[in-house]
Each structure stands twice: as structure tokens, then as C-alpha cells.
């Protein structure tokens, strides 16, 4: 089982909190540049496996590329992919690989998707950082993703409702 979502990462600096002496305003690097890239991710709270792809756009064509890559990750494994109701997730032109089934969350319920917690974790590492170009941003994203362990994925994504019926017997 994988939980899938997409998130935008850009050159616009995300300012966060900083610790300073009382009355001293924190100084942080800042730029207001509206260029971005998208990170498509799928995370397994059971095995800790993950697939993250940085892609230039967020639409059905790029989602198809992501699904094809996910299908090739452990190709003999049948994957149930839980995801939100993004319009392009329902595109008629999508060709869902044979080893993948899509399971959609109820509308307007991002709190049920553990992938959202992974984005929050990743975005915290971007706080108060300045990336001069999309290439620099891509290098930083690659480093952050590479340093995400299976244990981190499991501890972040292991929502209790996922495991409630896992060991059910009748």
C-alpha cells in the first residue's frame, strides 16, 4: 500500500520562525521568484518504501510517467495506491499499469493522506533557505530525498487507521 500526492517546491523563499534576542528582528535571506518544480511522491507506511520524482508540471501526462515509474518499483508487487481526487488523477487518458490499483480518499480530506505529512517534513527543511536557480533547488531536493530513511517514512506515515484491520481474522 502506498499513499501518493504531489507538492510544489519553488524559488520563492519560505520564511519561518527564528530565535533572536528580545527586540531584535531576525534577518533571513529572501527572494520573490515565481519559478517552481513539482515533486510527485508515493510512500508506504508498511515497508517504508518510497518513490519521489521531480517533474516540471502537475498534470495527467506527468502523472502517467509517475505511475509507470511506480509500477517498475518492485514490478512483481501489486500496489494499492491511495490518493486524493485531483482532476488529473481521474483523466480518461491515463493507462493504469496492471500491478497498480488506485483507491481514492473522500473529497476534501487531505488529513487522511500521510503523504501530506511527508511534504510538511520536507518543506520544513526548505524554511529560510535561498536557492538561486531551479538547478540548485533540484540538487537540494535530491539530497533531502536521498536522506529520507525507511524508518522516517514509516514513523511519519503510519496512521493508526491504516493498521486497524490489517490483522483482522474471521
Amino acid at each position: 500500500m502506498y499513499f501518493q500526492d504531489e507538492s510544489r517546491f519553488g524559488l520563492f523563499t519560505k520564511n519561518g520562525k527564528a530565535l533572536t534576542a528580545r527586540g531584535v528582528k531576525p534577518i533571513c535571506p529572501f527572494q520573490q521568484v515565481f519559478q517552481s518544480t513539482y515533486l510527485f511522491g508515493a510512500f508506504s507506511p508498511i515497508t517504508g518504501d518510497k518513490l519521489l520524482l521531480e517533474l516540471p508540471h502537475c498534470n495527467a501526462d506527468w502523472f502517467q510517467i509517475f505511475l509507470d515509474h511506480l509500477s517498475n518499483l518492485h514490478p512483481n508487487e501489486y500496489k494499492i495506491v491511495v490518493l486524493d481526487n485531483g482532476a488529473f488523477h481521474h483523466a480518461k487518458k491515463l493507462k493504469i499499469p496492471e500491478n497498480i490499483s488506485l483507491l481514492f480518499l473522500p473529497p476534501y480530506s487531505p488529513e487522511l493522506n500521510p503523504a501530506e505529512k511527508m511534504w510538511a517534513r520536507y518543506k520544513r527543511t526548505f524554511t529560510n533557505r535561498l536557492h538561486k536557480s531551479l538547478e540548485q533547488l533540484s540538487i537540494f531536493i535530491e539530497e533531502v530525498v536521498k536522506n529520507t530513511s525507511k524508518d522516517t517514512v514509516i514513523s511519519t506515515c503510519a496512521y493508526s487507521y491504516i493498521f486497524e484491520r490489517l490483522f483482522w481474522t474471521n
Side-chain angles (χ1 to χ4, degrees), residues 24-74:
V24 176
K25 186 174 182 176
I27 299 172
C28 299
F30 180 78
Q31 70 180 358
Q32 194 167 344
V33 177
F34 297 101
Q35 293 178 5
S36 58
T37 187
Y38 292 88
L39 201 54
F40 284 64
F43 308 93
S44 173
I46 297 167
T47 64
D49 287 339
K50 67 183 183 306
L51 173 67
L52 288 128
L53 284 181
E54 182 184 342
L55 298 169
H57 301 286
C58 195
N59 59 31
D61 295 328
W62 294 103
F63 183 56
Q64 182 69 60
I65 290 169
F66 178 79
L67 285 176
D68 294 341
H69 275 82
L70 184 59
S71 175
N72 291 327
L73 176 72
H74 310 301

Side-chain angles (χ1 to χ4, degrees), residues 13-166:
T13 307
K14 179 184 172 203
N15 286 333
K17 296 179 181 180
L19 185 61
T20 65
R22 174 175 255 150
V24 176
K25 186 174 182 176
I27 299 172
C28 299
F30 180 78
Q31 70 180 358
Q32 194 167 344
V33 177
F34 297 101
Q35 293 178 5
S36 58
T37 187
Y38 292 88
L39 201 54
F40 284 64
F43 308 93
S44 173
I46 297 167
T47 64
D49 287 339
K50 67 183 183 306
L51 173 67
L52 288 128
L53 284 181
E54 182 184 342
L55 298 169
H57 301 286
C58 195
N59 59 31
D61 295 328
W62 294 103
F63 183 56
Q64 182 69 60
I65 290 169
F66 178 79
L67 285 176
D68 294 341
H69 275 82
L70 184 59
S71 175
N72 291 327
L73 176 72
H74 310 301
N76 295 326
E77 172 185 71
Y78 188 79
K79 298 165 185 68
I80 298 171
V81 180
V82 181
L83 64 165
D84 61 23
N85 283 281
F88 62 89
H89 293 156
H90 295 280
K92 290 188 189 321
K93 67 180 178 178
L94 285 177
K95 294 183 178 102
I96 309 302
E98 287 186 17
N99 64 339
I100 292 179
S101 282
L102 301 181
L103 178 63
F104 293 96
L105 290 167
Y108 310 108
S109 56
E111 68 279 0
L112 295 177
N113 192 345
E116 298 286 353
K117 294 287 187 191
M118 290 302 297
W119 298 141
R121 178 182 279 279
Y122 287 146
K123 290 198 176 194
R124 270 194 302 274
T125 65
F126 282 80
T127 303
N128 297 332
R129 292 190 182 261
L130 185 73
H131 301 282
K132 298 253 183 223
S133 67
L134 286 176
E135 292 79 25
Q136 262 189 3
L137 177 64
S138 292
I139 291 167
F140 187 75
I141 288 172
E142 185 179 331
E143 191 64 29
V144 169
V145 167
K146 186 174 74 173
N147 290 327
T148 304
S149 69
K150 287 185 177 215
D151 289 338
T152 300
V153 172
I154 291 170
S155 67
T156 304
C157 295
Y159 283 23
S160 60
Y161 82 87
I162 298 167
F163 298 100
E164 258 177 27
R165 306 250 183 233
L166 192 59

